Amino acid sequence: MDFETYKRYGLDTPPPREVNGRSSDEIAKSAVVPEDGQYNPCAEAYPGSQTPVGEFTRIPDWVESKVYPKTTRTISIYQSVGVADSTDPATFIYFNDGDFYLWREGAVRATRVFDSMSENGELPPLIAVFVTAGTSESEPAQRSIEYDTVSDRHVTFIDSEIVPLVESITGKTLASDPSRRLICGISSGGICALNAAWHSPTSFGRVLSHCGSFVNLRGGHNYPSMIRRTPRKPMRVFLQSGSRDANIVPGSWPIANQDVAAALDYAGYDYRFEFGEGGHSLRHGGAIFAESLRWLFRD
């Protein structure tokens, strides 16, 4: 989806920038969908003033991709406090549309949640990577190509380009155990999360999908049948959608997510589906973000 479509469906805006002369703060106030007003960031998104804060690195305008040549994106890297003192490989969490999860005044406020949960001993030392979809002067649909396409191309991009970059910058090794590797996203980023684990279960064994676009965009509507017909893969999946999720020409997001959940149940997956009252928004996902992490990383 482009930025105007994000506004239409009520997604929280990324860190401040200007669009058509309006600041993102102004857009954010007009972008909140009324039916999602009952959802607020989880309690862990409000750490105490004495809570230790993880280390943060931001790489704007990264253009080095060979998997997606001639694209530009921003990469942000968070290291929880425990990483510096640990000799073990770090648990790895990857975010599609990273700035929406990263924004410290948004619906999720992921790094604040990580700070709180790390202080409470609820998460192991971790490195989280927030990556925006690529932009391309020649391809306006670049985000959809990267996220909605049902293939192994995006997980190849993560494994061959992002992981080595993160390990080089941090000087830390990321865990190779897929049960300690989570990929997360919303909408097209949500189907991309499942798609990465589906095509490479050794890369990601944990999936968190918010309002996933399992509809007729670039083949995602086939996932319910694929899940039912394919031997079960070693992945744990958390899905979230709502009764007022998007319902447009490519399909109904509420129905599509229910179909994927039913297929996961039929195939015997370790999955959880939270179906709320909200729209195509991160607000419900943000409200249950800490609980999602606890469930996904439980023993």
Side-chain angles (χ1 to χ4, degrees), residues 220-232:
H221 62 297
N222 293 310
Y223 260 114
S225 177
M226 292 163 57
I227 291 168
R228 289 173 180 268
R229 294 172 181 271
T230 304
R232 187 170 65 251

Side-chain angles (χ1 to χ4, degrees), residues 4 10 12 27-28 48 54 59 68 70 86 94 102 144 162-163 167 188 216 222 229 238 248 271 275 280 298:
E4 291 301 314
D12 293 287
I27 293 170
I59 310 168
Y68 297 112
K70 298 182 180 180
S86 176
Y94 184 94
L102 181 64
S144 179
I162 300 300
V163 168
E167 291 184 331
S188 295
N216 191 8
N222 293 310
R229 294 172 181 271
F238 193 113
I248 54 177
Y271 84 100
F275 190 70
H280 202 68
R298 77 192 193 282

Side-chain angles (χ1 to χ4, degrees), residues 100-294:
F100 288 99
Y101 289 91
L102 181 64
W103 189 29
R104 291 172 69 83
E105 301 302 325
V108 180
R109 311 180 188 193
T111 62
R112 294 181 183 235
V113 175
F114 293 150
D115 289 339
S116 294
M117 296 183 73
S118 296
E119 182 184 37
N120 295 335
E122 296 184 275
L123 288 175
L126 67 89
I127 292 177
V129 184
F130 303 81
V131 183
T132 62
T135 59
S136 170
E137 292 183 0
S138 61
E139 180 51 78
Q142 184 65 35
R143 178 178 180 273
S144 179
I145 290 171
E146 293 186 13
Y147 287 175
D148 292 313
T149 303
V150 178
S151 76
D152 65 354
R153 188 179 181 187
H154 200 74
V155 73
T156 298
F157 160 74
I158 297 170
D159 287 344
S160 66
E161 298 187 340
I162 300 300
V163 168
L165 176 67
V166 170
E167 291 184 331
S168 174
I169 289 173
T170 63
K172 296 291 184 179
T173 300
L174 300 178
S176 59
D177 180 353
S179 70
R180 295 178 57 199
R181 297 168 67 105
L182 164 67
I183 183 167
C184 173
I186 181 168
S187 190
S188 295
I191 187 176
C192 182
L194 180 67
N195 191 60
W198 179 266
H199 282 94
S200 185
T202 58
S203 298
F204 293 100
R206 302 291 181 262
V207 174
L208 178 53
S209 172
H210 298 126
C211 302
S213 298
F214 302 105
V215 294
N216 191 8
L217 290 172
R218 297 180 187 271
H221 62 297
N222 293 310
Y223 260 114
S225 177
M226 292 163 57
I227 291 168
R228 289 173 180 268
R229 294 172 181 271
T230 304
R232 187 170 65 251
K233 296 173 183 281
M235 61 183 187
R236 181 179 291 169
V237 182
F238 193 113
L239 303 175
Q240 175 273 320
S241 182
S243 59
R244 295 185 180 88
D245 206 342
N247 184 14
I248 54 177
V249 171
S252 165
W253 271 246
I255 291 174
N257 276 271
Q258 290 177 77
D259 283 348
V260 170
L264 291 168
D265 185 68
Y266 175 84
Y269 276 88
D270 184 9
Y271 84 100
R272 179 169 165 180
F273 180 38
E274 291 291 334
F275 190 70
E277 303 172 345
H280 202 68
S281 161
L282 267 176
R283 292 178 67 93
H284 184 195
I288 60 174
F289 184 61
E291 173 58 24
S292 305
L293 296 175
R294 291 188 191 99

